[in-house]
Amino acid sequence: MNGRISDDVWKIIACPHCGASLHGSNQNVTCTSCQSHYGYTKSGAIDLRLQQPKKYQYDFLLGTSLLPKSGFDFHPLKEESNPHVDFSKQYVPHHLSREIMSHFPKAKTDNSLMLDLGCGNMVHRNVCEYAGFKYVGLDYDSNEASILGDAHALPFKDRSFEFILSVAVLEHIRFPFVAMQEAYRVLEPNGIFIGTVAFLEPFHGDSFYHHTHLGTYNSLQEGGFRIEKICPSDRWSVLIAQARMGLFPKMPHMFSIPCIMPIQIMHKIWWRLGSVISKKATEETRIRNTTGAFTFIAHKPASTQDNW
Ligand SMILES: [Zn+2]
């Protein structure tokens, strides 16, 4: 053990600046190539955030179409009828749902690692360990994360994780395409990437780019992912999100939700009337256009060229 880092995790750690191996003790960690120095925080986390600016080369390919010719469905997420992991007796942590957890993979081996990218206070640890994974929590700034790091320069070797979870994080990323390429790089071929991103939530916690369904598709595609699902949430609608986070923050739900109830009822009636007049005014379009956040599920293809 090195601080809070197990030997398994130590094996996959790399310099966020140059990608080379690190060597060190409980006090100091040094890159074997670029000689960058890293340390530990007071709370015992290893601090692998960039210690100097890093240039990242990014090529855009213009003039391509975004969605496949066959189209893409942006429907609310349904609970998987045959899940890999039975979470039925498990508590559902904050920001997750039974629907999202029903799509979690099961660890392939006893040594399978998963990354909670932007782990905060690690509320997802129990369910990820229940699925058989060794849990690695990384955050840019958290007293509880075992690793501090930057999503734009992940301190891990290529193809280190079977599963990446990133809940309510993507909107806080300053350069989303770079972070998506980094998530892709550290994921194993066939690995699964599950996450959520804010759409019509208010500005919160230094959020940069709230994503529409097309923006979510684009960010994932720029990362290289094969996109399976991008799903709006009906329960976490713009009205609920605004009431809880923007209009009446910290107000008990029993008071804030009734405040928006009349608008919510009028909104649903109006769209129902609209659906009589226009075929475009479907329930799915209403939910997609007015959701507070999207859930996404994507894979890294089996045979890939890494970005590095
Ligand atoms: Zn280095």
Side-chain angles (χ1 to χ4, degrees):
M1 295 283 279
N2 255 300
R4 285 190 205 163
I5 307 298
S6 70
D7 292 341
D8 287 325
V9 177
W10 191 253
K11 281 182 201 155
I12 57 147
I13 281 180
C15 174
H17 190 75
C18 74
S21 297
L22 299 173
H23 70 84
S25 64
N26 275 340
Q27 275 84 40
N28 266 305
V29 179
T30 307
C31 174
T32 53
S33 178
C34 72
Q35 306 299 319
S36 293
H37 291 289
Y38 303 96
Y40 291 86
T41 65
K42 280 181 191 158
S43 60
I46 186 168
D47 184 355
L48 296 175
R49 293 176 291 192
L50 286 171
Q51 299 299 306
Q52 54 187 310
K54 174 181 178 176
K55 193 166 186 179
Y56 191 95
Q57 210 74 35
Y58 191 97
D59 290 327
F60 287 98
L61 190 62
L62 308 180
T64 60
S65 53
L66 176 67
L67 300 178
K69 280 196 180 122
S70 53
F72 194 88
D73 289 330
F74 298 96
H75 295 162
L77 190 64
K78 292 199 179 92
E79 195 165 335
E80 175 67 50
S81 55
N82 207 358
H84 295 296
V85 186
D86 178 10
F87 285 112
S88 56
K89 295 196 175 86
Q90 292 294 304
Y91 168 75
V92 179
H94 190 47
H95 283 311
L96 287 182
S97 65
R98 294 248 169 246
E99 288 85 1
I100 297 175
M101 284 160 59
S102 75
H103 291 271
F104 271 28
K106 190 178 173 63
K108 288 183 196 154
T109 71
D110 290 345
N111 292 316
S112 296
L113 297 174
M114 70 77 58
L115 172 64
D116 190 354
L117 180 55
C119 64
N121 54 5
M122 304 210 293
V123 287
H124 310 123
R125 181 174 199 142
N126 282 351
V127 288
C128 294
E129 288 181 342
Y130 188 79
F133 290 100
K134 291 192 171 170
Y135 176 92
V136 180
L138 176 140
D139 204 281
Y140 191 78
D141 189 13
S142 161
N143 287 330
E144 285 154 83
S146 49
I147 302 173
L148 294 188
D150 187 331
H152 303 100
L154 289 173
F156 304 114
K157 294 176 181 167
D158 297 355
R159 302 183 292 276
S160 293
F161 301 99
E162 269 180 36
F163 170 36
I164 299 178
L165 181 69
S166 184
V167 178
V169 172
L170 186 49
E171 69 268 24
H172 300 284
I173 302 284
R174 192 170 154 200
F175 302 101
F177 299 159
V178 175
M180 291 298 96
Q181 289 195 345
E182 277 293 272
Y184 182 92
R185 180 181 67 78
V186 303
L187 193 60
E188 285 183 6
N190 274 328
I192 183 167
F193 182 27
I194 297 180
T196 67
V197 57
F199 173 36
L200 293 175
E201 292 175 6
F203 170 80
H204 62 280
D206 291 344
S207 55
F208 285 89
Y209 300 107
H210 292 215
H211 278 47
T212 68
H213 56 296
L214 297 181
T216 309
Y217 195 100
N218 195 42
S219 287
L220 289 165
Q221 182 154 275
E222 286 294 315
F225 290 102
R226 195 178 70 223
I227 302 150
E228 266 137 61
K229 292 182 190 299
I230 293 175
C231 304
S233 169
D234 194 20
R235 285 197 299 267
W236 186 243
S237 68
V238 57
L239 291 170
I240 302 278
Q242 293 291 336
R244 298 249 298 260
M245 299 171 70
L247 298 172
F248 313 111
K250 302 199 190 306
M251 185 189 277
H253 302 168
M254 59 187 293
F255 299 119
S256 63
I257 299 305
C259 291
I260 49 119
M261 216 38 105
I263 305 174
Q264 193 157 37
I265 291 166
M266 279 302 297
H267 155 69
K268 288 190 178 174
I269 291 172
W270 187 247
W271 270 79
R272 188 61 59 85
L273 288 171
S275 69
V276 177
I277 300 161
S278 168
K279 282 184 183 165
K280 287 184 180 170
T282 63
E283 180 67 354
E284 272 156 9
T285 303
R286 183 189 71 77
I287 294 169
R288 185 198 70 190
N289 289 6
T290 62
T291 189
F294 287 97
T295 298
F296 57 81
I297 301 176
H299 274 85
K300 180 167 178 172
S303 68
T304 65
Q305 287 197 321
D306 284 307
N307 291 318
W308 278 18

